[in-house]
Amino acid sequence: MTITRRAVALGLAATAIQALMLIAFAWPAVNIGPRDLPIAVAGPASAQVAQQLRQRDPDAFEITTVADAEQARNAMADNEIYGAIVTGNGAPQVLVASAASPAVAQQLTAVAQQLSGIPAASVEDVVAIDPDDQRGAGFGSMVLPLVMSGMAAAILLTLLVPTFGARLAGLAAFGIAGGLLSTLIFHTWLSILPGSYLELAATAGLSSFTVAAVIVGLAAAIGRPGIGIGALTMLLVGNPFSAATSAPELLPQPWGALGQLLPPGAAASLLRSVAYFDAAGALAPFLVLLAWAAGGVALLGLGALRSRQSTIPTASPEPVAVPA
């Protein structure tokens, strides 16, 4: 292939990547809507409210009936539901958890207003988002830097560090230092997330380490194409379907569920859980990150083993004595 043809091919490949990025980022944004969104109804008219919700959209909500408002609040604090509609004593009351998703809180408020016919329905924010980030824009903007920095660390370690042990040490240093520094920014300076600094730093550090480890491991196992495969997976699939700015149940399925099985989505869910819900619901995203991190390290070890075997010289055969 001539240089000109190679240049044209690379230009066309970049065009395809551009189109995929537009689809990956724009398509979920224009298809936001509730899909089996877990909520609760309570009070004497709970059955009627549940029926009205199902008639509006049978697939929008996964509805649980609870005894009263207090039980609904407990379920929200345990990160089991996004909100509740409580009936009795006049117009329905809306319970929301803006910390779980400001977008869902707004949608539930609008639905309750339509059901009651009252423009200003009573709304209680049971688990409120940080007052310095009321729209959740700051939290939503955190995921992409974690992904991009992990990609940058992986590329630098792959291209500039030749040995397995040194790369692993670089990944560990990036995870620890990156977690501490990034948390200092979004927790202490910007006040985007509340909660324990060290717990959030450990979460951010594990997230950063995981993204970098996967890309470094793929590059070690299959060569430099592994950098592109890992980076595009995190950037084109993981980031837009992470639901950091919405909720997994608001994204088209199965992409919302798939996003939670990739490091960016798991990182967003784990950060929410640690910051707002006392780690309720943290086990699943933690295990996802741990599995990806372990897989990345395993691939890095496999690549190092192959490299070592390829550099071992083969023994030359001993000369055979020829009789005179």
Side-chain angles (χ1 to χ4, degrees):
M1 181 182 291
T2 66
I3 295 178
T4 301
R5 289 182 178 178
R6 181 180 300 176
V8 171
L10 290 174
L12 293 176
T15 302
I17 293 173
Q18 181 186 61
L20 288 174
M21 291 185 69
L22 286 172
I23 294 171
F25 282 84
W27 179 62
V30 299
N31 286 278
I32 291 292
R35 298 167 176 87
D36 292 325
L37 192 73
I39 65 170
V41 293
S46 58
Q48 180 182 355
V49 170
Q51 183 179 4
Q52 289 179 323
L53 290 173
R54 293 189 181 100
Q55 288 176 347
R56 287 169 53 89
D57 189 342
D59 300 322
F61 300 104
E62 182 181 303
I63 303 172
T64 302
T65 301
V66 297
D68 51 30
E70 190 60 31
Q71 189 173 346
R73 291 187 184 94
N74 291 336
M76 294 168 70
D78 290 337
N79 205 13
E80 296 174 355
I81 58 175
Y82 284 94
I85 299 176
V86 182
T87 63
N89 299 324
Q93 180 189 19
V94 187
L95 305 181
V96 299
S98 60
S101 172
V104 171
Q106 293 175 1
Q107 291 200 7
L108 285 178
T109 301
V111 168
Q113 289 172 352
Q114 293 171 3
L115 290 176
S116 63
I118 300 176
S122 174
V123 180
E124 178 186 345
D125 200 343
V126 178
V127 187
I129 198 168
D130 193 286
D132 291 325
D133 187 31
Q134 293 184 359
R135 294 180 298 174
F139 180 85
S141 66
M142 287 171 47
V143 175
L144 184 58
L146 290 177
V147 173
M148 296 295 289
S149 62
M151 290 168 51
I155 293 171
L156 291 174
L157 289 172
T158 298
L159 298 181
L160 301 180
V161 179
T163 63
F164 166 79
R167 287 180 182 176
L168 189 59
L171 286 171
F174 170 65
I176 295 172
L180 292 171
L181 182 58
S182 61
T183 306
L184 187 66
I185 294 171
F186 67 71
H187 173 271
T188 307
W189 177 30
L190 299 178
S191 297
I192 294 174
L193 286 182
S196 166
Y197 171 82
L198 290 180
E199 290 178 0
L200 290 171
T203 303
L206 175 61
S207 304
S208 300
F209 175 89
T210 299
V211 172
V214 169
I215 299 174
V216 169
L218 284 171
I222 63 176
R224 290 192 178 183
I227 298 177
I229 294 173
L232 290 177
T233 300
M234 299 298 170
L235 189 61
L236 292 184
V237 183
N239 188 69
F241 296 114
S242 67
T245 59
S246 56
E249 294 84 359
L250 294 183
L251 297 178
Q253 295 300 328
W255 301 106
L258 175 63
Q260 297 305 296
L261 298 177
L262 294 172
S269 295
L270 187 58
L271 283 169
R272 282 191 193 277
S273 175
V274 170
Y276 291 109
F277 297 96
D278 197 23
L283 181 59
F286 172 73
L287 291 178
V288 169
L289 288 175
L290 203 61
W292 279 95
V297 173
L299 287 174
L300 179 57
L302 176 63
L305 182 62
R306 287 180 176 176
S307 177
R308 182 177 301 175
Q309 289 176 345
S310 65
T311 57
I312 296 176
T314 56
S316 57
E318 295 183 0
V320 178
V322 179

